[in-house]
Amino acid sequence: MITVNDIISKFPPVKFTGVASNTVSTVVELGILNNYERALSWCNQKNITLLTTIKSGVVICPVLDDSFVKCAQVDYIETDKPRHYFLQVLKNFFAPADDDRGIASSAKISANVKIGHNISVGQNVVIEEGTLIGDDCSIGHNTVIYRNTVIGNNVTIGANCTIGGPGFGYEKNESGEYEMLPHIGNVVIEPNVEIANNVCIDRAVLSSTIIGENVKIDNLVHVAHNVIVGKNSLLIANSMIGGSTVIGENVWVAPSASIMNKINIANNVVVGMGAVVIKPVAENTVVAGNPAQLLLKKKDGL
């Protein structure tokens, strides 16, 4: 059984008010915390008024003013970054153990694929020749990894993804008919990348499509050929990154945003929901709209 003391001993808060020996039975949303006897939740500054309604359980919250009236039946774990603190608690105390490491019997893996240690490969996965996969990686059911893909350590790829397929590159022949341009490059996924479900990342025509270190990609994202995504950037659901686009570091591409081919997105940029980006974006800016326009620029970044 987990106790409050287990949590605050591992992650010392700024301040704790309550009974450290109390147990924690489960984790729930803040709005239903009162429905459980010994549950844990979290609260940020935006919904601090909701905290006044909590009459039981354990709450990870911002550092409270002295004027805040605390409930004697609530344990308050006060911290400067409640959401990050909550994340660490979930990871260390409540996340299910990863006990399904190994390669499923229905996976099809070419003979010259190199695979690291502590790997999980799901049902019906296909991994083609020349692929390199590092340690501590997980590949979800029905995903296809095309030839010569390079995957670094600690990479997670969800179900039904296509990594390294040919891009949409066509040229008219003498008869005016379109012929596909051969794609002989590959995809490189650097360490600590997380890719959700139903994602397509196309291989480059000649060089590499590169997904940088610690990039996070949501469901239903398309990354076209020759794209480079800088480290620590996030591509959110339904976003589309056009071919040969370069995305900098610490960039947030919001849901359903579209970025035209060969556009440069600098560091520390936010591309707003549904934005259509047709020209380069300077660093430390927020753009949104169709076509995307500058909304905000901060001297010290975002």
Side-chain angles (χ1 to χ4, degrees), residues 112-123:
N112 63 345
V113 170
K114 294 183 179 180
I115 296 180
H117 301 290
N118 195 34
I119 299 297
S120 175
V121 177
Q123 299 288 344

Side-chain angles (χ1 to χ4, degrees), residues 5 19 25 51 54 62 74-75 107 136 153 163 225 236 252 270 292:
N5 189 60
V19 180
S25 60
L51 191 59
I54 302 305
V74 177
D75 299 319
D136 304 307
N153 295 334
I163 310 298
H225 53 202
I236 317 303
W252 175 286
V270 173

